[in-house]
Amino acid sequence: MVYEWRGAVYLRISPDGLRWSPALRIPGTGWSSPARRCRPEERVGRHPHILSEQEYGECLVGGPPGLFVTGMRLYVFVNLGRSPGHMGCLVGPKALTARGWRRCAANPLLGPEADYGPLELTGAAANRYFEFRTISAADVVREGSHYYMVYEGIRGPSQPGVGDDQFGLGMARSRGPSIDGPWEKYSGNPLLMDLPGNVGVGHADLVQVGPAVYLYTATPFGTRGRYVLVKKP
């Protein structure tokens, strides 16, 4: 299990889903300063409707994470930076240890959307900017020779004084058989609905059952929906 607390990402391991290990903070995750010490994609920029996007730090590696287990390795997907955000990953051993973790070689995997876009845009006209502030909450499955990812993109507040109210659900796939390689976004992003979307719409889950892949996510307000992903010839 991986989860976020105060921007950082923590790992716990269980033998049965009931008893869990102590928490391990994955090295290199969380807020930090000053900006000159972090990589360009990890820097926190400016948002037109947020007074201080750098309130907690000038760099960020973390946020709502995703996890993929393959062989003896764990791949943890994290948001990199803010305004603009990127999707990146960390890879480490399948064990509760802080040793052996590194950034994925292909970081950043996705992003960025370089700017917020025209302030007055809403709905479908704003869709291309749906992941400006953060790209996080990845869920990944493997199908054939590719990995597929659904993730949450947040454009951020639509006006000063409100919280994040512009959410969208994105999809991407690896360009080849490597999870730690270049990725490409689906050209029809965001999925399901136009901005602003519902709060939490992008916190989606993928489940493989035989040949079918099911997508669980928020759809109408207050409702959790299930979709079946169907291959097209």
Side-chain angles (χ1 to χ4, degrees), residues 45-50 53 79 82-85 113-136 151-160 162-170 190 194-202:
R46 295 183 178 182
H47 193 284
H49 298 315
I50 298 176
E53 186 75 309
N79 174 74
R82 260 190 183 174
S83 301
E113 178 55 57
D115 60 74
Y116 179 87
L119 301 185
E120 70 279 4
L121 286 188
T122 59
N127 281 350
R128 61 169 293 188
Y129 306 104
F130 85 100
E131 56 192 32
F132 167 65
R133 190 179 187 219
T134 59
I135 306 176
S136 64
Y151 61 92
E152 177 183 76
I154 301 179
R155 191 186 184 202
S158 59
Q159 57 185 310
V162 303
D164 288 326
D165 62 354
Q166 298 182 96
F167 292 77
L169 178 68
D194 298 322
L195 286 188
N198 292 325
V199 174
V201 67

Side-chain angles (χ1 to χ4, degrees), residues 35-226:
R36 68 176 182 273
R37 294 183 181 175
C38 66
R39 297 177 180 233
E41 65 270 16
E42 298 168 1
R43 292 174 182 165
V44 178
R46 295 183 178 182
H47 193 284
H49 298 315
I50 298 176
L51 180 62
S52 178
E53 186 75 309
Q54 298 178 342
E55 179 180 4
Y56 300 105
E58 298 172 290
C59 315
L60 175 62
V61 177
L67 175 66
F68 190 87
V69 183
T70 177
M72 297 304 295
R73 292 184 177 181
L74 303 179
Y75 286 87
V76 178
F77 296 85
V78 293
N79 174 74
L80 303 176
R82 260 190 183 174
S83 301
H86 309 69
M87 176 68 74
C89 69
L90 304 167
V91 57
K94 194 170 69 173
L96 200 70
T97 175
R99 305 179 73 175
W101 286 88
R102 63 170 176 82
R103 294 177 174 89
C104 288
N107 279 354
L109 306 180
L110 301 174
E113 178 55 57
D115 60 74
Y116 179 87
L119 301 185
E120 70 279 4
L121 286 188
T122 59
N127 281 350
R128 61 169 293 188
Y129 306 104
F130 85 100
E131 56 192 32
F132 167 65
R133 190 179 187 219
T134 59
I135 306 176
S136 64
D139 207 23
V140 177
V141 297
R142 180 166 184 169
E143 178 65 27
S145 59
H146 295 276
Y147 293 89
Y148 291 83
M149 174 195 299
V150 290
Y151 61 92
E152 177 183 76
I154 301 179
R155 191 186 184 202
S158 59
Q159 57 185 310
V162 303
D164 288 326
D165 62 354
Q166 298 182 96
F167 292 77
L169 178 68
M171 176 174 280
R173 76 171 184 178
S174 64
R175 292 184 179 176
S178 174
I179 194 171
D180 184 4
W183 286 67
E184 57 187 354
K185 299 177 187 177
Y186 171 53
S187 61
N189 284 341
L191 300 174
L192 304 181
M193 62 185 69
D194 298 322
L195 286 188
N198 292 325
V199 174
V201 67
H203 280 259
D205 300 296
L206 292 175
V207 178
Q208 289 179 296
V209 182
V213 178
Y214 294 92
L215 166 66
Y216 294 84
T217 189
T219 40
F221 183 76
T223 302
R224 192 78 171 168
R226 183 180 74 171

